[in-house]
Amino acid sequence: MEVSKKIQGDAFERIVDASAELFAENAFHSVGVREIANKANVNISMISYYFGGKAGILIEILNRFFDLQLGTLKASIIETDTKEQSIKRMFHNIVSMIRNHTNICLIGFSDLPNNVPEVYDLKINKTNQMMEIGNQISTKFGIDFCRQEQNHIIGPAMMSMLISHFTHKNFISQIYKVEFNDEYYDSYCNTLADLFLFGITGFLKKNE
Amino acid sequence: MEVSKKIQGDAFERIVDASAELFAENAFHSVGVREIANKANVNISMISYYFGGKAGILIEILNRFFDLQLGTLKASIIETDTKEQSIKRMFHNIVSMIRNHTNICLIGFSDLPNNVPEVYDLKINKTNQMMEIGNQISTKFGIDFCRQEQNHIIGPAMMSMLISHFTHKNFISQIYKVEFNDEYYDSYCNTLADLFLFGITGFLKKNE
Amino acid sequence: MEVSKKIQGDAFERIVDASAELFAENAFHSVGVREIANKANVNISMISYYFGGKAGILIEILNRFFDLQLGTLKASIIETDTKEQSIKRMFHNIVSMIRNHTNICLIGFSDLPNNVPEVYDLKINKTNQMMEIGNQISTKFGIDFCRQEQNHIIGPAMMSMLISHFTHKNFISQIYKVEFNDEYYDSYCNTLADLFLFGITGFLKKNE
Amino acid sequence: MEVSKKIQGDAFERIVDASAELFAENAFHSVGVREIANKANVNISMISYYFGGKAGILIEILNRFFDLQLGTLKASIIETDTKEQSIKRMFHNIVSMIRNHTNICLIGFSDLPNNVPEVYDLKINKTNQMMEIGNQISTKFGIDFCRQEQNHIIGPAMMSMLISHFTHKNFISQIYKVEFNDEYYDSYCNTLADLFLFGITGFLKKNE
DNA sequence: TATGAATGAGCTTTCATTCAT
DNA sequence: GATGAATGAAAGCTCATTCAT
């Protein structure tokens, strides 16, 4: 299941793209290789050829996701930022990341299949790394959480908050007729950053 | 796929319980009817007999989830509560609900299979209902969100925040050695309620 | 891959029969489950249902073969027989066994697939048992081979000699126009028994 | 499927060697071209390029086998030999051949795939030739079998007897701890030659 | 209710082979 | 000669469901 071909044709990338789109919409196990091959316009065998099997595609996608996530967080740390600037910058960066790589991020943030050992291991491993980065960021932000437990509560909570909109997007757009453009997401980032910084109380005060 | 709920043997309930456990751990599509029947200690045919098919079990579970969620939210509205009391009560009630019905709630909150029409329709329908309830609650809470868009941002964000711990639980317990007891969840509720009420700023001030 | 269903329909036996016929004619790996299911007039899934997979059928056939072989050898030991009577009786019994269960015996005697672990283990295990029985028979026959090595030479040599006709049968019948009836196999047994007892020298003398 | 034998690189021979090793251990159909190409350290396409397909390799190996067998038998006929010398010489020559070309001989003697037409035809054709040679040898040996049927019984029986050790070798070496060296095979030849010449009766008398 | 044999469509993966380079 | 991407068919197996009992 090793994926280390030096030169990969278009097919490789087409498979990744098609899979990302499909896995983002429906659960990994409910997407068939036929469907992927069809959407990517490649022969079914190419999936095993390039990725060693269906799970290999997911691994590739997850590796991309974790690299993306790590890069985004690291890029959000600017020494001279105030606490408020830091949060806003991070929120904007994360939302940008999600908007630019929606499928990959939806897959990365979603419940991954625990019954595929390689995926499970990767998830454990990377979650660990993320937690460490999270701790480093907290410290650098000057936010030194008094009790360690609260760190593993607030980190995931923040991330879940940010991604939640994108998982509910389709449903929301069926109920409210909103246009999801740059303006919307600017407002979105600010709303959540304010909420995260000052809570519903501060948020309401601001909007009085 | 109508299910006559009047007279149902133990088998019915055993199937629901087994399925909830399995669906909570792994995606709906990756759980087989054989696995369910095995865990529930019933004959495979009983699944079609009682639920009209595998999807029927999920529908049953989802109906239970939405009833649960609705009941919990309604029970959280106490006229005499202050804003802070309201939020804390609601957070405690929701966390209690999740702890008492973890499997059902994990399934309900998770990405449901969009490629099963009946499930999709139910989801759309109930999400709609939830949004209405959310609006009612907001108003009753005295929190009248100035811009409607922000309502559909904050609602899901809050829910995602609360459930996020339970979806990450297994991974967290592998990294930090924490005991998830009553005390822990008391602290958990308060941490998130404070965060939601006063933001990270207020939260840090409180813990000084 | 356990095969221990108490009551098995006709399908079970039809699968065994069809497989025996096919495996006897062509190598295990070159016979497909579709071909088997077709010949046995059952649904493909029945193979996994009853035998846990294609290899399970081979295991079933091999178990039958080894039981058959063991029973035949044991039944050939009559205390009062002379050495010559013993050999002739054994040869006749073995040839009868092969004629009555040609397919199973051809499979059992042929080169079995070593790359199927379960088959390999069974083969090792049963070959061991056969060797022990062979030793017992040798002793009971009053034929106490002076050097142990010669025992594992002569045993397999004798068996190979007896089965060789059946593996070459199709080719022989295309060259010589012989009718393989009871009379033929009587002569066949006697020829080989004489060869085994007195060698080509004694055999030629007898036929002078 | 014609193979131009004039100019062939190392690759050609490496493919034959690798295939011989693999086909000797496992059935033709269970060995894949990838496995062969891998072991031979050549590109997969080279197999089609040189041999026109997987079956072409087997044909090449079989042709080598039949040439070998024919040569060995012909070389065993020495006018001045006594009957006993003849048999012993032939047995030693055959065993030498098998020891020097074990893989090729195991493949040649084993049950060949009947469902590959080209192989089947070759087998029929060459078996025919062998039978003729067998008859010639019989006559030259002064062993003029009274009844023709007995010729096609004794010929294959003798060959099967000689090869049987090599097919069982791996299993035997797991049960008895024997070293298969020159000394062993000298004894092996003599044992079988004596058995073939004088039968078990004469054999036992000799070893008294 | 409950059983377990049976169905047929579907799954992922692997096969030998071919092709353009 | 040699490469490796690409092909299409077929492999073994599993799926949810149905049926007669």
Side-chain angles (χ1 to χ4, degrees), chain B residues 43 45-46 50:
Chain B
N43 186 279
S45 326
M46 289 292 94
Y50 279 126

Side-chain angles (χ1 to χ4, degrees), chain D residues 8-9 43 45-46 49-50:
Chain D
Q8 285 144 352
N43 186 280
S45 326
M46 289 292 95
Y49 181 77
Y50 278 127

Side-chain angles (χ1 to χ4, degrees), chain B residues 40-130:
Chain B
N41 208 33
V42 300
N43 186 279
I44 304 182
S45 326
M46 289 292 94
I47 288 168
S48 285
Y49 181 77
Y50 279 126
F51 301 90
K54 198 175 81 163
I57 313 177
L58 184 55
I59 305 260
E60 172 70 21
I61 290 175
L62 288 180
N63 276 320
R64 292 187 185 195
F65 165 71
F66 286 118
D67 288 350
L68 215 49
Q69 199 181 22
L70 207 67
T72 302
L73 289 183
K74 282 183 177 166
S76 300
I77 308 169
I78 305 288
E79 289 291 330
T80 53
D81 275 351
T82 65
K83 205 176 293 177
E84 190 172 336
Q85 281 173 324
S86 284
I87 295 290
K88 295 219 162 175
R89 186 187 304 282
M90 188 167 69
F91 275 41
H92 274 92
N93 285 351
I94 293 173
V95 168
S96 276
M97 172 188 81
I98 300 176
R99 287 185 73 195
N100 289 329
H101 306 275
T102 309
N103 291 330
I104 285 179
C105 289
L106 281 174
I107 296 167
F109 281 123
S110 77
D111 309 329
L112 297 171
N114 296 325
N115 44 6
V116 179
E118 288 165 296
V119 173
Y120 186 79
D121 294 346
L122 182 68
K123 201 172 153 186
I124 290 272
N125 181 21
K126 295 290 186 177
T127 302
N128 241 319
Q129 285 186 30
M130 274 304 295

Side-chain angles (χ1 to χ4, degrees), chain D residues 134-203:
Chain D
N135 286 350
Q136 286 173 29
I137 289 173
S138 300
T139 313
K140 282 206 175 170
F141 270 61
I143 305 169
D144 187 21
F145 295 111
C146 34
R147 284 191 274 159
Q148 203 191 25
E149 300 97 60
Q150 287 169 337
N151 198 17
H152 62 248
I153 292 175
I154 290 172
M158 188 194 75
M159 277 298 189
S160 298
M161 217 169 72
L162 282 164
I163 193 73
S164 72
H165 160 75
F166 293 90
T167 54
H168 292 78
K169 207 173 160 181
N170 289 334
F171 291 90
I172 288 166
S173 68
Q174 291 213 5
I175 299 168
Y176 306 96
K177 297 293 161 202
V178 205
E179 208 187 334
F180 297 117
N181 49 20
D182 286 358
E183 195 188 359
Y184 177 87
Y185 285 109
D186 247 38
S187 157
Y188 176 75
C189 285
N190 289 330
T191 298
L192 287 185
D194 282 345
L195 187 67
F196 190 73
L197 278 164
F198 313 110
I200 200 74
T201 318
F203 173 81

Side-chain angles (χ1 to χ4, degrees), chain B:
Chain B
M1 275 218 187
E2 268 294 302
V3 176
S4 66
K5 295 187 179 178
K6 280 174 189 170
I7 303 165
Q8 286 146 350
D10 285 345
F12 186 93
E13 215 53 43
R14 284 208 308 277
I15 291 171
V16 173
D17 288 348
S19 300
E21 207 167 319
L22 292 167
F23 292 162
E25 198 164 356
N26 291 114
F28 173 74
H29 279 108
S30 76
V31 177
V33 285
R34 272 173 189 74
E35 204 181 345
I36 294 169
N38 214 38
K39 195 181 189 80
N41 208 33
V42 300
N43 186 279
I44 304 182
S45 326
M46 289 292 94
I47 288 168
S48 285
Y49 181 77
Y50 279 126
F51 301 90
K54 198 175 81 163
I57 313 177
L58 184 55
I59 305 260
E60 172 70 21
I61 290 175
L62 288 180
N63 276 320
R64 292 187 185 195
F65 165 71
F66 286 118
D67 288 350
L68 215 49
Q69 199 181 22
L70 207 67
T72 302
L73 289 183
K74 282 183 177 166
S76 300
I77 308 169
I78 305 288
E79 289 291 330
T80 53
D81 275 351
T82 65
K83 205 176 293 177
E84 190 172 336
Q85 281 173 324
S86 284
I87 295 290
K88 295 219 162 175
R89 186 187 304 282
M90 188 167 69
F91 275 41
H92 274 92
N93 285 351
I94 293 173
V95 168
S96 276
M97 172 188 81
I98 300 176
R99 287 185 73 195
N100 289 329
H101 306 275
T102 309
N103 291 330
I104 285 179
C105 289
L106 281 174
I107 296 167
F109 281 123
S110 77
D111 309 329
L112 297 171
N114 296 325
N115 44 6
V116 179
E118 288 165 296
V119 173
Y120 186 79
D121 294 346
L122 182 68
K123 201 172 153 186
I124 290 272
N125 181 21
K126 295 290 186 177
T127 302
N128 241 319
Q129 285 186 30
M130 274 304 295
M131 283 294 180
E132 286 174 25
I133 298 286
N135 287 350
Q136 286 173 31
I137 289 174
S138 301
T139 314
K140 282 206 176 171
F141 269 62
I143 306 168
D144 187 21
F145 295 113
C146 34
R147 284 192 273 159
Q148 203 192 25
E149 299 97 59
Q150 288 168 338
N151 197 17
H152 63 247
I153 291 175
I154 292 172
M158 187 194 76
M159 278 296 188
S160 297
M161 217 170 72
L162 283 165
I163 194 73
S164 72
H165 161 75
F166 293 91
T167 54
H168 292 79
K169 206 173 159 180
N170 290 332
F171 290 90
I172 289 166
S173 68
Q174 292 212 6
I175 299 168
Y176 305 96
K177 295 294 161 205
V178 204
E179 207 186 334
F180 298 117
N181 49 22
D182 285 357
E183 197 189 356
Y184 176 87
Y185 284 109
D186 247 38
S187 158
Y188 175 75
C189 286
N190 289 330
T191 297
L192 287 185
D194 282 345
L195 187 67
F196 190 73
L197 277 164
F198 311 110
I200 199 72
T201 318
F203 174 79
L204 287 172
K205 205 175 295 168
K206 246 196 159 176
N207 285 283
E208 268 173 345

Side-chain angles (χ1 to χ4, degrees), chain C residues 133-185:
Chain C
I133 297 286
N135 287 349
Q136 286 173 31
I137 288 174
S138 301
T139 314
K140 281 206 175 169
F141 270 58
I143 305 169
D144 187 21
F145 294 114
C146 33
R147 283 191 276 159
Q148 203 194 24
E149 300 97 61
Q150 288 168 339
N151 198 15
H152 64 245
I153 292 173
I154 291 173
M158 187 193 77
M159 279 296 189
S160 298
M161 216 169 74
L162 282 165
I163 193 73
S164 71
H165 160 74
F166 292 90
T167 55
H168 292 79
K169 206 172 160 182
N170 289 333
F171 291 90
I172 289 166
S173 68
Q174 292 211 5
I175 300 167
Y176 307 95
K177 296 294 161 204
V178 204
E179 207 187 335
F180 299 117
N181 50 19
D182 286 357
E183 197 189 357
Y184 176 86
Y185 285 108

Side-chain angles (χ1 to χ4, degrees), chain A residues 62-180:
Chain A
L62 288 181
N63 277 319
R64 293 186 183 194
F65 165 70
F66 286 117
D67 287 351
L68 215 49
Q69 199 182 22
L70 208 68
T72 302
L73 288 184
K74 281 183 177 165
S76 300
I77 308 170
I78 306 289
E79 289 291 329
T80 52
D81 273 354
T82 66
K83 205 176 295 175
E84 191 172 334
Q85 282 173 322
S86 284
I87 294 288
K88 293 218 163 176
R89 187 187 302 283
M90 188 166 68
F91 275 40
H92 274 91
N93 285 350
I94 292 173
V95 168
S96 276
M97 171 187 83
I98 301 175
R99 287 185 73 194
N100 289 329
H101 307 274
T102 309
N103 291 331
I104 286 179
C105 289
L106 280 175
I107 296 167
F109 281 123
S110 77
D111 309 328
L112 298 171
N114 296 325
N115 44 5
V116 178
E118 284 166 300
V119 173
Y120 186 78
D121 294 347
L122 183 69
K123 201 172 151 187
I124 289 271
N125 181 22
K126 296 290 186 178
T127 302
N128 239 320
Q129 285 185 32
M130 275 303 297
M131 283 293 180
E132 285 175 28
I133 298 287
N135 288 348
Q136 286 174 31
I137 288 174
S138 302
T139 314
K140 282 206 174 171
F141 270 60
I143 306 169
D144 188 21
F145 295 113
C146 33
R147 284 192 274 158
Q148 203 193 25
E149 300 99 59
Q150 288 169 338
N151 199 17
H152 63 248
I153 291 174
I154 291 172
M158 188 194 77
M159 279 296 188
S160 298
M161 217 169 72
L162 283 164
I163 193 73
S164 71
H165 161 74
F166 293 89
T167 54
H168 292 78
K169 206 172 160 180
N170 290 333
F171 291 91
I172 289 166
S173 68
Q174 292 212 5
I175 299 167
Y176 305 96
K177 295 295 160 203
V178 204
E179 207 186 334
F180 298 117

Side-chain angles (χ1 to χ4, degrees), chain D residues 118-136:
Chain D
E118 287 165 297
V119 173
Y120 186 79
D121 293 347
L122 183 68
K123 200 172 154 189
I124 290 272
N125 180 21
K126 296 290 185 175
T127 302
N128 241 320
Q129 285 185 30
M130 274 303 296
M131 282 295 179
E132 285 173 28
I133 298 287
N135 286 350
Q136 286 173 29

